Amino acid sequence: MNLQGKKVVLGVSGGIASYKSVSLARLLIKAGVSVTTVMTTAATKFVQPLTFQTITGRPVFYDMFNDDFQENIGHIKVPEQADCFIIAPATANIIAKIACGLADDFLSTSVLANNSPLYLAPAMNTNMWNKAIVQENIEKLKARGISIIPPTSGLLACQTVGLGKMAEPESIVKFLVKNPEFQSNSNNGLLNGIKVLVTAGPTREKIDAVRYISNYSSGKMGFAIAEYCLSQGAKVTLVSGPVALMPPEGINFISVQSADEMFEAVMANAPQNSLIIKSAAVSDYKIEKPDPGKNKKRVNLKLNLIQNRDILKTLGKQKSKNQYLVGFAAESENLEAYARKKLLDKQLDLIVANNILEPGAGFDGDTNIVSLINATDVLQLPQQSKFMVAEKIIQKIVSDPKWAQIKNYNP
Ligand code: CTP
């Protein structure tokens, strides 16, 4: 992640979502960020300061009048060195205080003393979120250049379903990564200046004008890889089949439908890229003669399926010595043996193998359980978010001795 060496102040105000801020702190720490936590008194009722202190390895600030904190005028010093200040969760109360310029505790005074970009991840009950005064405060803050990481919809702690759930820690990190203050030291990225082509999602093969065959791929794995590569300073082209995800900002995004379209887009772009990661779940078959109109209902419909071209295999055949090719293997049995066969047959440098029947792995979820297999070894990874899997894949690639020659070549 391109957050290495950054300094972040994490403000935690008093809502039930504050337990999620512990994961946020952990994700930031793992990404090489130095995190200083500031809590409101109410937040300390939900999570002990000691939890943040242990995770971040730094003191936690919450008491304005504690001697230790005052020694260096803490509320002035804490934000002084920050690259950014993020409040997660941001309750209606802290939002209102910031909107009014109130400064009556450690967190609100630190915000007022802060000069770095400020991010708020609101979390509250739907009725509170929908109140005109809260929305007015939000608009006022946006107008002053404060970034709002929007809450999502879901089951809230008050047992109602609606808007007001704090964005998940990983979405918050993704949001931060995209922002300029985190892009500025892109020289430190693992893929600085490298051109990367990623494929994602399923393909759709037309049966007729209204029907198609496809698979359950959500595109989340490929999108996570593309976003991670971007955060590492890469120039990313993402070729994706139809998915319900927003194209990441800063990425050259090419949308396709069928395997044939994906083939053409990948072949047109492959020569300009040093690293190609094919995580798309390409349909192996297409309908020989799709009906240009709508097929009328009948008792038995026989579809004549013919094989699609194997995009990855074609890439393997054409691969130059300055290209690094990564494939995926979706298996339901004999994981390692089948993946190894694909590694050889398709002339890959690395294959990411997953057993799609294992709970927590596969197509549609937010997590994956994969093994990274190359000619010499196998790295079995535990279940983790697709974003973290993306990080592990890139770390594996850049630690391969072959990578040294690739990274010095810029097609
Ligand atoms: N792939 C491809 N073009 C195809 C089929 C697959 O580029 N027509 C790529 C996928 O993007 C993936 C890898 O090949 O990176 C392996 O895909 P997978 O579905 O696991 O295997 P297949 O080669 O299709 O073989 P099988 O379905 O028999 O396991």
Side-chain angles (χ1 to χ4, degrees), residues 373-394:
I373 303 173
N374 63 18
T376 51
D377 63 18
V378 179
L379 176 64
Q380 285 176 345
L381 296 173
Q383 180 177 351
Q384 55 202 300
S385 72
K386 289 185 170 172
F387 199 66
M388 298 307 280
V389 171
E391 185 179 53
K392 301 290 171 7
I393 295 170
I394 300 303

Side-chain angles (χ1 to χ4, degrees), residues 202-205 213-215 259 281-286 308-309:
T203 61
R204 280 181 186 171
E205 310 303 324
I213 53 172
S214 190
N215 59 61
V282 185
S283 173
D284 286 328
Y285 304 99
K286 64 180 173 185
N308 270 320
R309 289 168 290 183

Side-chain angles (χ1 to χ4, degrees), residues 199 259 278-284 308-313 315 326-331 342 346 348 351:
T199 70
K278 271 223 83 262
S279 63
V282 185
S283 173
D284 286 328
N308 270 320
R309 289 168 290 183
D310 191 315
I311 307 170
L312 189 57
K313 197 166 181 169
L315 287 170
V326 182
F328 271 67
E331 308 295 349
K342 286 176 190 170
K346 305 195 188 197
L348 311 177
I351 190 150

Side-chain angles (χ1 to χ4, degrees), residues 331-332 335 353-362 368-370 381 383:
E331 308 295 349
S332 53
L335 180 73
N354 63 346
N355 180 341
I356 42 114
L357 298 184
E358 218 175 333
N368 213 347
I369 306 168
V370 303
L381 296 173
Q383 180 177 351

Side-chain angles (χ1 to χ4, degrees), residues 28-211:
L28 291 169
I29 292 290
K30 283 181 87 173
V33 174
S34 157
V35 179
T36 305
T37 315
V38 178
M39 302 177 79
T40 61
T41 312
T44 64
K45 307 276 182 209
F46 288 96
V47 183
Q48 288 290 315
L50 183 61
T51 309
F52 285 103
Q53 189 180 319
T54 310
I55 297 277
T56 63
R58 295 179 58 77
V60 174
F61 299 90
Y62 54 93
D63 183 353
M64 277 292 280
F65 302 104
N66 179 312
D67 284 343
D68 290 348
F69 299 165
Q70 279 312 305
E71 199 178 331
N72 293 314
I73 321 185
H75 62 280
I76 308 293
K77 283 282 169 212
V78 165
E80 215 167 57
Q81 305 288 324
D83 291 301
C84 90
F85 198 132
I86 165 155
I87 304 184
T91 58
N93 187 46
I94 192 73
I95 290 169
K97 278 192 192 178
I98 300 170
C100 293
L102 278 179
D104 64 351
D105 63 4
F106 206 107
L107 181 57
S108 50
T109 44
S110 304
V111 169
L112 209 52
N114 168 58
N115 278 327
S116 70
L118 177 61
Y119 297 85
L120 304 181
M124 65 196 78
N125 156 277
T126 309
N127 292 339
M128 292 168 76
W129 175 251
N130 287 336
K131 275 277 154 13
I133 186 65
V134 173
Q135 290 306 315
E136 276 169 27
N137 285 338
I138 292 282
E139 290 312 314
K140 196 167 161 186
L141 294 175
K142 279 189 190 164
R144 296 214 173 113
I146 293 168
S147 304
I148 306 294
I149 305 171
T152 60
S153 224
L155 180 64
L156 304 174
C158 52
Q159 298 304 314
T160 56
V161 176
L163 203 58
K165 236 169 117 71
M166 186 175 90
E168 289 303 318
E170 285 178 349
S171 313
I172 296 177
V173 173
K174 281 187 195 170
F175 193 97
L176 296 178
V177 168
K178 281 184 204 150
N179 281 275
E181 55 274 17
F182 288 105
Q183 302 292 331
S184 54
N185 69 346
S186 57
N187 286 339
N188 294 341
L190 290 175
L191 300 174
N192 192 38
I194 301 282
K195 291 180 184 142
V196 182
L197 174 63
V198 183
T199 70
T203 61
R204 280 181 186 171
E205 310 303 324
K206 258 186 169 195
I207 296 174
D208 64 12
V210 292
R211 304 179 183 94

